[in-house]
Amino acid sequence: MQTIQFKTNINCANCVAKVTPVLNKKEGIASWNVDTESPDKILTIQTETLSAADIEKVIKRTGFEALQI
């Protein structure tokens, strides 16, 4: 299992609600969390099969940005 972190623009509860169904359904994501209190809005994902690029594409499709840190 690897942990991948991203800077995002997912910055509020409504934003988290928008990405939740997509991330929960995505095959390969074991768990995820967004720290909306952090200035960089850090998204942390636990995965065994997905690359950072795969996750960035998924986030982009929801209308948000994600940049691996």
Side-chain angles (χ1 to χ4, degrees), residues 5-9 39-43 65-69:
Q5 291 190 313
F6 304 86
K7 279 174 116 174
T8 71
N9 60 346
D40 292 326
K41 311 304 180 204
I42 302 297
L43 168 65
E65 297 295 321
L67 180 64
Q68 184 181 15
I69 54 174

Side-chain angles (χ1 to χ4, degrees), residues 9-63:
N9 60 346
I10 301 169
N11 59 15
C12 66
N14 287 335
C15 298
V16 172
K18 187 173 179 182
V19 299
T20 294
V22 175
L23 293 177
N24 285 349
K25 282 193 259 177
K26 181 66 180 166
E27 187 84 21
I29 294 179
S31 67
W32 65 273
N33 182 43
V34 179
D35 182 0
T36 56
E37 298 298 315
S38 163
D40 292 326
K41 311 304 180 204
I42 302 297
L43 168 65
T44 303
I45 294 191
Q46 296 281 327
T47 182
E48 287 189 22
T49 58
L50 298 175
S51 70
D54 294 332
I55 295 164
E56 287 174 4
K57 288 178 193 171
V58 170
I59 298 299
K60 191 167 279 210
R61 277 189 243 131
T62 65

